[in-house]
Amino acid sequence: MKPLIFGNSPRWHDGDGSYDDATSLATLAVTSFPDCRFVDRPLWAVFILALVLLGGCAGFEPQPGPLPEPGGQYVTLTTPFIAVGDTQEHESTGYPLHDNDSAIDAFVEVAQRPPEQPLFGRRILEWALEHDPDEPFIHLGDVMDLSCQSEAQRMDRIFKGARQPVAILPGNHDGLMFGIYGYRLLDAVMDAGAKRWNRACRRGAAPEDSERKTDREALSKRDFIVRYLRNKARSGRAPGLPDPPVEGDFRISWRNPDPQAFISAMEVRLLDGYQYADSFLAQRLRLPRAEGAPRGVVIIGLDTNQAGSLVSTWDTLMGRSPGTTGHIHPDQIQVVRDWVIEAVITGDIVVFAGHHNWSNLGLPSRLLLRNLMSILRHPLVYLSAHTHRGFWAVHTMLALRPVLELNVSSLSDWPIGYRRISFAIDEQANRLLVRGDLMPHAAAPSLTDDDLMAAWEAQTCARSGLKPEFLRIHDAALVKRQRDSRGSIIEWLLQELSSRCEDGECQQVVFQNAQSYQDALLLALIQVDQHLGVDAHALHQVELPRWCHGADFSVCAASLMDERATDFKSHVNLFRRKAGLVDVVSNHLDDISTPEAKAYMTCRAVQAARIDFDATDDKRKDYRSEANRRAEHFFRIEASVGME
């Protein structure tokens, strides 16, 4: 995307779909025009952002990739493990925001995903967990999207059903609003009390809904880490892991009494107040050893999202999103250095992993990592996510020794896929081989997007009891409906200029657009009723909100979709009722456990992502076109790296 220049620095669209300039522009608008009304309606930020987004795309330069495999005498070191990234579970029924309005989606492809994604998308993660239940599982970050308690609750249910050990590395969406905003940055500059973030997380909350209308619906970085640690302690896989306090600075240095456990050690620092996003969670993961392996392999899972108030404020002033660039601070490097030294002593191979891709780590962080890596006398490998496109790359900047990077694609945007990874070594040549099968696949590896889609359809759609072609017709129609109903930034502008915001009327267009999205969600739920047998979904047994007046779910949903609002207050009321019904019924979907229904939901989420991707111009795919991914070796399934 063409840059907007502030000083001498260009600003680019974030690789994971966030709006790189939004925070800085909003800050400039607020500080330049201190009228309190701008706090509730970031008109000028949105307007300038629209100009940025309309600027077109820059040329794509593929990263240097690994050379053709030279071959060697490799000995397998590990059995496979699964690596996924960027599920980005999204709360779709909260207070409407400009940030994820359909008008933005007209310019930023992933600002508002197809309705199948928030309803069914988490089933893709569930499918990946169940497909290889005996292999350790690493989520490379961005479990959530908005970073809400409700998103975390839904994902907790998926992870709790896993048979295998699971480790999660924090991503920029795990504790920052949309992966962009720090809670305290909003508090200090844009939004007293971070009310926008919190309201966006109040799922289907009517005015009198005290259960969900609290000031703790958003999930900060500190909250995310505390929740993760408590889930691990309750799982029985982390004996002796301390229970962190809800508030206050706290340090944890924990080692698993089982030396062969997957999560073998954690180093945690929890911070409060304006430094909460400087908290970190570092994990040492021991991979299962292959039979006859001469050496062990450990993964050091880094927290690349130490985006505290200083980093966030500096990024904001420089026109960057605090979540775009990864940050690893010296305090985290210092504690994981002991793990690296231990590995040198025991002869273990050390692989590094983090949410942010290598090139999106800040220069100070890469320098710190390069210094840490210099201790090791074996080839260097880094695993990452964040980009939503997936690639293999070789990095030689800052040092002569290459770093081989395997970047996984996402489970929320096409290309939806993940990797099944193992390692092998050629001791004589001192080369490390990374095998990274692109999953799922048919009998042969996928070589095209069509191959990858066919593998998904064969393993999910076909097991739903419905033909993939039948489901594809419905998903195509639903995606088209959502795309055709997208609003206009010009509509925002005209209403903002013509309405008084004290009574909220300046947000009527946002509520109208939000209703259109709720209609698409309701239609998808009606289709669940039509496509699956009554015994499979049991939707008609769900206790519905009082405004359904005892009507059947489908009747209530159709009635709400037919109702027309006439003024701002009726738009708000109608939105809340639609969102409330969507929330109740979509929560019920998580209770459905029949294999056919689970396959059905997984299939629809994947199909919708592909259909939406194909309907989007290549210039707006953020370098994720098939041709660009092929240039960065997306379909490659193994590569090796040496010492030079």
Side-chain angles (χ1 to χ4, degrees), residues 518-555:
Q518 296 301 312
D519 287 344
L521 294 168
L522 287 170
L523 181 55
L525 292 171
I526 290 174
Q527 291 172 353
V528 172
D529 185 20
Q530 296 169 342
H531 295 167
L532 299 179
V534 174
D535 293 337
H537 62 66
L539 290 178
H540 302 282
Q541 300 176 21
V542 178
E543 183 178 350
L544 301 181
R546 69 182 189 287
W547 55 78
C548 287
H549 303 295
D552 176 82
F553 157 71
S554 295
V555 173

Side-chain angles (χ1 to χ4, degrees), residues 114 116 124 414 416 453 456-457 460-461 467-476 479 601-614:
E116 292 92 334
I124 302 175
W414 190 261
I416 289 181
M453 188 68 237
W456 276 115
E457 289 185 343
T460 62
C461 309
K467 292 183 178 180
E469 298 80 6
F470 171 81
L471 296 177
R472 196 180 305 125
I473 291 171
H474 286 82
D475 285 320
V479 169
M601 289 185 275
T602 304
C603 166
R604 295 204 61 183
V606 175
Q607 282 198 341
R610 173 70 189 277
I611 292 166
D612 189 53
F613 179 81
D614 288 345

Side-chain angles (χ1 to χ4, degrees), residues 1-3 12 51-58 619:
M1 191 159 291
K2 290 183 179 178
W12 299 97
L51 297 180
V52 176
L53 296 172
L54 287 167
C57 288
K619 294 179 180 179

